[in-house]
Amino acid sequence: MDAYDVVIVGTGAGGGTLARHLAPSGKRILLLERGDWLPREPQNWSTADVFIDNRYISPDAWYDAKGKSFQPQVHYFVGGATKLYGAALYRLRREDFGELRHHDGISPAWPIGYDDMEPYYTLAEQRYQVHGARGEDPTEPPASAPYPFPAVSHEPRIQQLSDDLAAAGYHPFHAPCGIMLDEADPPFSRCLRTATCDGFPCLVHAKCDAEVLGVRPALEHPNVTLLTNARALKLTTDDAGTAVTGVEVEHDGTRKVVTADLYVVSCGAANSAKLLLASANDKHPNGLANGSDQVGRNYMFHNSQAVLALSREPNPTVFQKTLGVNDFYFGGPDFDYPMGNIQMIGKSQAEMFKGEKPLETKLAPGFALRDVASHAVDFWLSTEDLPVPDNRVTLEGDGSVRLSYSAANATAAGRLYHQLKSMLGRLGMHPDHLIPRHAYLKTDIPVAGVAHQAGTCRMGADAATSVLNPDCRAHELDNLYVVDTSCFPSIGAVNPALTAMANALRVGDHLLERLGAGRATVGSTV
Ligand SMILES: Cc1cc2nc3c(=O)[nH]c(=O)nc-3n(C[C@H](O)[C@H](O)[C@H](O)COP(=O)(O)OP(=O)(O)OC[C@H]3O[C@@H](n4cnc5c(N)ncnc54)[C@H](O)[C@@H]3O)c2cc1C
Ligand code: SF4
């Protein structure tokens, strides 16, 4: 049996970031990752392999509320979902940490405020080398430091879109972006600015993901150990049920137990809930840390729409994810409730199109499919999903995930869609054409699958209505922490990864103090 100071289960935005933060302490840290290293191979950048054959999506089967199985968009690799992510690294708005009234309900307050998170957002932006420009987005929260790298430039069609938006009175901004692009010194830029970024792994390791900037730097410290192909099956507790005593792991086909002083679960929202539920015992009959019956509940994943507009001029953009618009984040014309964020999504490519003639004619009369591909401008609309107790993860009899979910906040999502559609004529696009991408593309998953999953172990001050305290420690167990998007009480309407990373750094400082390793590095750029 191996003993450690800290075991971290999962190596994504939460776990990978935390590992790097704890590593310099010299404490014995074990990382358990159910997946392997994502192979570096030509297929990383093959649209057909990645988008059509789902090469990097787990073969897991999950079940919906009616018991129908589906393949979730989850990625089991060192680095977790960040290996495939679009690296749009946004801070939540200051208001997102308070209670916000939406058309369809309340977005609850976090037990911590924006000011508690701000230093960690700054540190996370430094650790993940975020490129951006402050001062362009009126909804942007205050920041104690500039972005560490300049914004990624727009290509001409997106610059034109930015100019047209500004001329129409909106406030387009350069999207905060985690790619290692050095536009001032192209021969030495690690990032090559390719079309195969959002939704693809980066073949040259130039994406600021949790493998490259979390796990690998952590492993430079001899006190950090990583086990790949090591799936945590269950957490065990002492007789009183107040402390975790071990993790049962299936590692390369054999079962073992690892022990530590502190245990951190960071498996992604659905799988963290799954692990806690699967760890039920006499003292925790409904699942570990689940006396409140909140584990698995309040699952959120953004009310997202990937839509495709048709530019009057061709759109030859390669890297499209450089622009955002938050003018409707807190409301819009004739709508006094939050609507959400508009940003670009990776450019759709000809190979992704279905190529079905009848569909083509119905969706875009007068356009050949190749014209649709060459004129497509792709947007990603995110409206906040609201926490609903019945939107939840439970376990099937065989231990698989059952995900019961009904969309929340649909009215606001519809308003955001119509808002963008109403603007197209002034943006050099065909005014009537704003079509969900899944209607055109072979595998564009409606509402983005489970990419932005969050909320299954929410933090709160009240043990009766939350799973974790504000330090992300389980109310009921002294040495169990959950540090991934599970802890989010609300998800806001911007992408979640930077918040997961910043929160992992915040909890990391708490753990360092608890381990007697001193408070770490807020304010440092290392
Ligand atoms: C295609 C795509 C695009 C995205 N684009 C963006 C974006 O542009 N911006 C943004 O902010 N967010 C984006 N996201 C979302 C973002 O990647 C996630 O919010 C973030 O990675 C969540 O971090 P996490 O730590 O909660 O989980 P993950 O990063 O998923 O990490 C969980 C880890 O736990 C491991 N694991 C699970 N179960 C076990 C177990 N039992 N034992 C051991 N290990 C286990 C998994 O293999 C995984 O490595 C995107 C996601 C996808 C899929
Ligand atoms: S755009 Fe840059 S970071 Fe993204 S996949 Fe291409 S080389 Fe990698």
Side-chain angles (χ1 to χ4, degrees), residues 45 179 190-194 196-197 201-202 204 206-207 319:
W45 281 352
I179 59 173
R190 191 149 154 190
C191 167
L192 313 170
R193 194 169 189 141
T194 63
T196 47
C197 194
C202 179
V204 296
K207 195 189 281 190
F319 186 87

Side-chain angles (χ1 to χ4, degrees), residues 446-471:
V447 288
V450 296
H452 287 192
Q453 56 183 287
T456 54
C457 302
R458 68 178 174 187
M459 61 164 129
D462 182 358
T465 56
S466 58
V467 178
L468 308 172
N469 76 7
D471 291 329

Side-chain angles (χ1 to χ4, degrees), residues 233-235 272-281 286-288 395 399:
L233 304 173
K234 188 178 176 182
L235 304 172
S272 286
K274 175 183 172 182
L275 182 59
L276 296 188
L277 293 172
S279 303
N281 62 25
N286 297 321
L288 207 56
L395 299 187

